[in-house]
Amino acid sequence: MNLPNRTHALAWGFVVLALGGLFACPKAKDEEAPPPLTSENPPPGQDESLYVRKEIHTYAPDSAFITAYRKGVETMQARPASDPTSWLFQGNMHGIPTNDGSDQICSPGAPAPAPGLDDCQHGSYFFLSWHRMYLYYFERILRDASGDPDFALPYWNYEPSDHRAIPAVFRDPTTGNPLYVTERGPGVNEGEDVISDTDATAQLALSRIPFFLPDPDPPANSFGGRNLPAPVHYGSFYGQLERIPHNVIHNDLGGQTGWMAWPECAARDPIFWLHHANIDRLWQVWLDQGGGRANPTDQDMWMNHEFTFYDIGGVEVKMSGKQVLDTATQLRYRYDQPVMPAAQVAGATETAAPKSEEKVSMLAASPKAAGGQKLIGGLNKLKISVPEDARKSLLAAVEEKPVYLVLEGLQQMVPGSTYEAYLNLPSGTDPDPKGPYFVGLIALFGRQAKGDYELPLGDVLRGLVQRDEWKGTFELTFVRERERRSGLKATAEKTTFLHFDRARIEQ
């Protein structure tokens, strides 16, 4: 064979080898698939394949990240409201003010109709999945607008005592700071510590084992809420995480007139997205605890119902619950410190779910007064007497069965109105959420939420019995948290902040 022919043969040999590589039998699935990526098993290099959402205090105010963040928000805010990638359009996906005279605080109101607008999910087990989808596509749009290909939405962990004031970059009133808005509650933009220990902790929510509980189980006994046959824009079956810290932080930051207290305009405040990133992080924290905690993958509606969102370029997209089960493998992001030590979860103040499989029954109730029960300023008192036969059964089973206070038809009349509830608070004793008479917080979000609201009484009642302080009557005290923190005094405030039809005791 002469040299030209040898060269020709070698060339054909390389072609055959290349074609052989193309048509070779694929490797077995176990051989070709890399180890699954999870929040606890990031890929080599850690940040190379996953966007990492970090706590906002990680970044200095003058860092390149904050500069890119401001640029992205400013770019989105400059786009017309009709643009799905604009700040206002994205905010309107959460809620839209009606401008009927009751919520002018966040005008302008209704834009031109578009799929996905005014669709936030609250008060059901869709709450967590819908908001995860919402943040995911918002983050992609913001990343593109920021010009930083590595941008990931930060979160705000307000549980540490030194993180309670709104982060400094969000309260800097310097002209042109797109992260600052004036529409916040009293003291928030002044850097006041408006978030209490009770408001900031997620420990009770993290102690709940089931993701959801069906009717008639109290939804607060679950982590994520009650299951429903279909999505509802504003439900009333809040899971424990949605109650605290979600609802109460909205109320703390919004007060009565700030955007964060109103679902119709909450997402217009840049701090909204950090608050919800933290709620999303706590979902992962909950899962990481194990012990039977799991997503509701056996629920067809939760898994397969498709919600509408918008991606980069304003492209309409659909997403369902089954696509957001694992942020790392499905959505390509993780949190920098998602895991909370189990010791921090311990110490919940009530059994996570009833020990008995018997149906709950009503033991006593307040009378249905004309106009219902109004919660105004100062100390609101309500007495519920328990019949003798019910009293005996209550005491006989108080160690085995949970006891609940149920506020029927609870509705928030003034947004931002978190109340504290106490049981048999002695006369002359100041309300103290760290004391033995504290039952819990009543925290709704917006005025649309109306329904029954349950609070566990078991631990407080057992303490009263042990101290021989319970004489067969439930004496309830309700006080506005903001008012109590500012120094409770006699008040002439007659505004109705919360309203319910009656209260009942169940076991």
Side-chain angles (χ1 to χ4, degrees):
M1 181 182 293
N2 58 31
L3 186 59
N5 286 338
R6 288 179 61 193
T7 302
H8 187 71
L10 286 170
W12 272 106
F14 285 124
V15 170
V16 170
L17 286 172
L19 291 175
L22 287 174
F23 294 102
C25 294
K27 296 179 181 180
K29 183 176 181 180
D30 291 341
E31 296 177 351
E32 67 178 7
L37 303 178
T38 69
S39 60
E40 296 179 337
N41 181 32
Q46 184 167 301
D47 297 345
E48 296 174 2
S49 298
L50 294 175
Y51 294 100
V52 181
R53 293 181 179 176
K54 299 181 180 181
E55 212 279 328
I56 184 61
H57 293 89
T58 302
Y59 303 101
D62 59 351
S63 64
F65 172 84
I66 295 298
T67 299
Y69 190 11
R70 285 191 171 114
K71 176 186 175 183
V73 173
E74 187 174 25
T75 298
M76 291 179 66
Q77 289 175 345
R79 293 169 179 167
S82 59
D83 182 346
T85 67
S86 72
W87 189 264
L88 193 54
F89 189 101
Q90 286 292 304
N92 285 337
M93 292 187 70
H94 192 269
I96 298 173
T98 60
N99 285 356
D100 61 359
S102 62
D103 52 13
Q104 289 286 338
I105 189 170
C106 52
S107 60
L117 291 180
D118 199 29
D119 198 31
C120 68
Q121 298 298 302
H122 287 279
S124 81
Y125 73 164
F126 292 106
F127 164 70
L128 284 168
S129 58
W130 186 90
H131 283 84
R132 174 169 285 181
M133 302 171 203
Y134 187 35
L135 262 66
Y136 171 71
Y137 284 111
F138 171 84
E139 180 182 56
R140 288 172 57 83
I141 293 169
L142 182 58
R143 179 184 301 127
D144 181 67
S146 75
D148 179 359
D150 298 320
F151 180 88
L153 191 67
Y155 66 92
W156 174 23
N157 181 7
Y158 26 71
E159 184 152 12
S161 58
D162 59 346
H163 285 183
R164 299 287 171 76
I166 192 172
V169 293
F170 290 83
R171 51 184 164 87
D172 177 6
T174 303
T175 301
N177 178 17
L179 303 180
Y180 174 85
V181 299
T182 59
E183 295 85 357
R184 289 174 180 150
V188 175
N189 280 336
E190 288 69 45
E192 292 183 13
D193 184 357
V194 299
I195 301 174
S196 71
D197 292 342
T198 310
D199 300 350
T201 182
Q203 291 183 16
L204 188 57
L206 296 174
S207 75
R208 299 310 199 210
I209 299 299
F211 187 98
F212 76 95
L213 283 171
D215 186 45
D217 295 305
N221 272 343
S222 70
F223 176 75
R226 180 171 292 170
N227 63 333
L228 295 177
V232 174
H233 187 26
Y234 293 120
S236 59
F237 305 119
Y238 299 109
Q240 190 60 49
L241 186 70
E242 190 173 3
R243 294 183 179 206
I244 306 170
H246 172 264
N247 289 358
V248 72
I249 296 297
H250 269 284
N251 292 343
D252 287 343
L253 299 180
Q256 295 180 31
T257 58
W259 283 347
M260 278 289 282
W262 297 69
E264 299 85 358
C265 47
R268 300 183 186 190
D269 187 335
I271 200 63
F272 167 93
W273 304 95
L274 277 70
H275 172 38
H276 269 278
N278 192 49
I279 297 299
D280 185 65
R281 179 186 70 92
L282 290 170
W283 182 3
Q284 185 61 53
V285 171
W286 178 77
L287 286 170
D288 288 340
Q289 304 308 310
R293 294 166 176 82
N295 290 320
T297 54
D298 61 343
Q299 296 289 299
D300 181 72
M301 177 59 67
W302 191 91
M303 288 285 284
N304 296 308
H305 180 84
E306 293 185 330
F307 293 98
T308 299
F309 298 93
Y310 294 86
D311 204 350
I312 298 170
V315 177
E316 184 178 326
V317 290
K318 305 282 188 182
M319 185 171 271
S320 63
K322 66 184 177 184
Q323 295 173 281
V324 298
L325 297 173
D326 188 289
T327 67
T329 60
Q330 295 177 301
L331 304 177
R332 312 306 302 166
Y333 76 84
R334 67 178 181 88
Y335 290 96
D336 58 346
Q337 296 178 342
V339 178
M340 180 180 292
Q344 295 186 34
V345 180
T349 59
E350 184 62 53
T351 309
K355 295 179 183 177
S356 169
E357 297 192 4
E358 297 177 28
K359 296 297 183 181
V360 295
S361 59
M362 186 177 75
L363 301 177
S366 62
K368 284 192 174 182
Q373 183 73 36
K374 300 176 181 179
L375 297 187
I376 59 175
L379 298 179
N380 297 261
K381 299 284 189 176
L382 179 63
K383 182 178 290 187
I384 303 177
S385 297
V386 183
E388 181 64 26
D389 56 343
R391 189 184 311 175
K392 291 179 179 178
S393 63
L394 171 65
L395 291 178
V398 70
E399 295 296 336
E400 290 77 28
K401 294 183 64 177
V403 183
Y404 301 101
L405 166 67
V406 181
L407 304 179
E408 293 183 4
L410 180 67
Q411 185 173 20
Q412 184 168 232
M413 310 307 291
V414 178
S417 304
T418 300
Y419 270 74
E420 297 171 350
Y422 296 84
L423 176 61
N424 290 28
L425 183 71
S427 177
T429 301
D430 292 333
D432 180 3
K434 295 182 180 179
Y437 306 100
F438 177 68
V439 171
L441 294 177
I442 304 171
L444 302 181
F445 180 38
R447 292 175 304 168
Q448 289 77 8
K450 182 178 181 179
D452 291 355
Y453 194 95
E454 315 86 2
L455 288 171
L457 295 178
D459 283 350
V460 179
L461 178 59
R462 282 187 285 272
L464 291 170
V465 172
Q466 291 168 5
R467 297 190 302 272
D468 196 27
E469 293 183 31
W470 192 69
K471 306 304 180 184
T473 299
F474 289 88
E475 297 177 349
L476 303 167
T477 301
F478 304 96
V479 58
R480 263 199 317 155
E481 182 190 45
R482 185 179 295 270
E483 188 178 346
R484 193 268 308 162
R485 291 189 69 197
S486 63
L488 185 63
K489 300 177 182 179
T491 177
E493 178 63 82
K494 299 302 181 183
T495 300
T496 300
F497 297 98
L498 294 180
H499 175 277
F500 57 90
D501 298 328
R502 68 169 180 170
R504 66 179 188 262
I505 305 298
E506 291 186 346
Q507 188 179 52

